[in-house]
Amino acid sequence: MKKIEVNASAIVYNDISELSEADLTLMKAAISAKQKAYAPYSKFSVGAAFILENNQIVTGNNQENAAYPSGMCAERIAIWKVGSEYPNVKIKKLAISASSSNKIVDKPVGPCGGCRQTLSEYEINQKEPIEVLFMGEKGAVVKVESILSLLPFSFDSSFL
Ligand code: THU
């Protein structure tokens, strides 16, 4: 028997004004994408923006459905856009922003578990980490160095 440590470090910025110019540009793309979310049921809008190694920015937002499980998160919509349009281009970074029309979201909103799993496969395949920045509508912004740092003991194709 042994005990192991599973560590993840993150940078926490007090707010968006502390971001580098490049990170701010990507977060602004996520915020802009969020405005076009289709979230009539949860009233919770999420925007996601990837920047690729060719500097292309690809965005997505959550798209809900009256049959609730038929909707999809912003992060998966965005990553599937990347996978379908730029299958051989590496991804550098992801920015996420979330807002609610019911309340002010002032805490950083990380990607859900299902999105972490989906995103992890793209990171593994490209053999380079994808930085992730996430925030609510205002307040702190969290930055982590990779998708896998958000998903310890993850499931991948090596188990199959
Ligand atoms: N949502 C996302 O778009 N990304 C996440 O990581 C968490 C949740 C969406 C799904 C749904 O439309 C709404 O937020 C409330 O769960």
Side-chain angles (χ1 to χ4, degrees), residues 39 42 44 46 62-64 72-75 110-112 115:
S42 73
F44 192 82
V46 184
N62 51 326
Q63 297 291 317
E64 297 185 347
M72 186 44 67
C73 294
E75 296 89 332
C112 77
C115 286

Side-chain angles (χ1 to χ4, degrees), residues 102-118:
N102 291 327
K103 61 180 212 175
I104 292 175
V105 181
D106 57 5
K107 286 185 292 189
V109 178
C112 77
C115 286
R116 294 178 197 204
Q117 176 63 34
T118 300

Side-chain angles (χ1 to χ4, degrees), residues 13 15-33 49 51 57 59 93-97 131 133-135 137 139 141-143:
Y13 299 98
D15 61 50
I16 200 172
S17 70
E18 292 183 1
L19 298 184
S20 68
E21 205 178 311
D23 287 356
L24 184 61
T25 299
L26 193 63
M27 187 56 83
K28 281 183 177 169
I31 291 167
S32 172
I51 184 155
I57 290 179
T59 63
K93 208 177 291 190
L94 164 64
I96 302 162
S97 172
E131 278 187 342
L133 291 137
F134 55 88
M135 67 179 295
E137 180 182 346
V141 184
V142 171
K143 183 177 185 174

Side-chain angles (χ1 to χ4, degrees), residues 48-62:
F50 287 97
I51 184 155
L52 313 182
E53 66 176 354
N54 63 5
N55 289 324
Q56 179 75 41
I57 290 179
V58 179
T59 63
N61 48 42
N62 51 326

